[in-house]
Amino acid sequence: MNFKIRNIIPVGFAVLLASCSQQQARRPLTQNSGQFMKESMNRNIKLIANEEAMIDSVIRKHPERKYIATPKGYWYYYETENTKDTLTPKRGDVAFFDYEIADLQGNVIYSEVELQPQTYLVDKQNILMGLRDGIKLMNKNEKVSFLFPSHLGHGYRGDNDRIPANLPLVVTVSLRDFKPEAVARAEKKTPVVQPIQKEVVPTTNEEIKPE
């Protein structure tokens, strides 16, 4: 019995030393990971600052437009404003709208005809992150142009088609109507599908379903 114990103790000690050695070898990986995160964050800060400067340049070129800055980090102006109504879409409403996507130079990327009329269950379906917030600022029959930095549009991936990575967008929206989901369903204008949880590619949202 004593012989076995004497042999086990050195082996166990050797395993412990090897384990400590392995843990020490991992430290540079942790440091590299932290450095990568820091560099990535700095790149994002510079990217956002650069895009905001580009948007600011567009705003300055058009003093006739009354651009409004939002706390969410995008800008918009009214092409057609409805000052008579005060109601805006809220979570669970069904919004009926048309929209167009362009770059900051005004080059149309996707036209209204291509994107087709949209049916959107507010806050419960797939839509651009910026538009998800922006459409809730609109009254019925208004037309609004939103200036979105890329992180509120298609981000660092683009849409794998016409929108490249990190492209700020001008999204012009015409809100034709909105109504409670129950009313829209009763009118049989709202077919049913599973809700989509994330954003971001431009699609025709023809069908919706409540959570």
Side-chain angles (χ1 to χ4, degrees):
M1 177 68 69
N2 290 339
F3 176 79
K4 292 181 179 179
I5 293 175
R6 285 196 298 270
N7 281 275
I8 291 172
I9 290 174
V11 172
F13 187 71
V15 171
L16 179 62
L17 288 176
S19 175
C20 292
S21 176
Q22 290 174 357
Q23 290 177 355
Q24 290 176 353
R26 291 193 185 102
R27 288 178 185 174
L29 295 178
T30 302
Q31 292 172 354
N32 289 341
S33 176
Q35 182 65 24
F36 173 80
M37 292 297 292
K38 183 178 179 180
E39 291 175 357
S40 178
M41 185 169 61
N42 289 336
R43 283 195 299 270
N44 288 336
I45 291 173
K46 291 179 180 178
L47 176 65
I48 292 172
N50 182 57
E51 291 184 3
E52 288 182 350
M54 293 166 62
I55 291 173
D56 183 65
S57 177
V58 172
I59 292 173
R60 290 177 181 274
K61 288 179 181 178
H62 298 280
E64 74 281 2
R65 300 173 182 170
K66 296 181 180 179
Y67 284 97
I68 300 170
T70 71
K72 297 293 181 69
Y74 64 89
W75 293 257
Y76 68 96
Y77 74 94
Y78 290 96
E79 294 195 22
T80 303
E81 187 174 7
N82 176 4
T83 58
K84 295 181 180 179
D85 293 335
T86 58
L87 294 178
T88 57
K90 62 182 183 299
R91 179 179 174 83
D93 283 346
V94 179
F96 303 91
F97 68 95
D98 301 296
Y99 76 130
E100 175 184 274
I101 299 177
D103 61 22
L104 294 183
Q105 288 70 47
N107 302 307
V108 176
I109 302 173
Y110 292 104
S111 68
E112 282 189 7
V113 174
E114 291 177 285
L115 295 175
Q116 303 180 21
Q118 302 285 303
T119 300
Y120 166 57
L121 187 58
V122 178
D123 283 348
K124 295 184 179 182
Q125 276 194 298
N126 182 20
I127 201 170
L128 292 176
M129 187 180 297
L131 191 53
R132 182 184 178 100
D133 184 74
I135 202 166
K136 291 184 288 187
L137 301 176
M138 298 179 66
N139 296 323
K140 180 180 176 180
N141 294 324
E142 285 187 331
K143 185 175 183 179
V144 175
S145 284
F146 298 94
L147 277 64
F148 295 133
S150 64
H151 68 276
L152 295 177
H154 287 270
Y156 69 92
R157 293 181 178 177
D159 73 339
N160 297 317
D161 192 358
R162 302 182 203 172
I163 299 176
N166 302 322
L167 182 70
L169 298 173
V170 179
V171 181
T172 302
V173 181
S174 298
L175 181 60
R176 293 180 281 109
D177 198 6
F178 65 91
K179 56 191 65 179
E181 180 190 353
V183 174
R185 288 169 66 88
E187 294 177 353
K188 298 182 180 180
K189 291 184 178 180
T190 311
V192 174
V193 295
Q194 291 295 325
I196 302 172
Q197 301 300 324
K198 287 189 175 183
E199 46 105 28
V200 281
V201 294
T203 57
T204 302
N205 296 321
E206 294 178 346
E207 300 180 337
I208 59 177
K209 180 181 178 182
E211 289 184 335

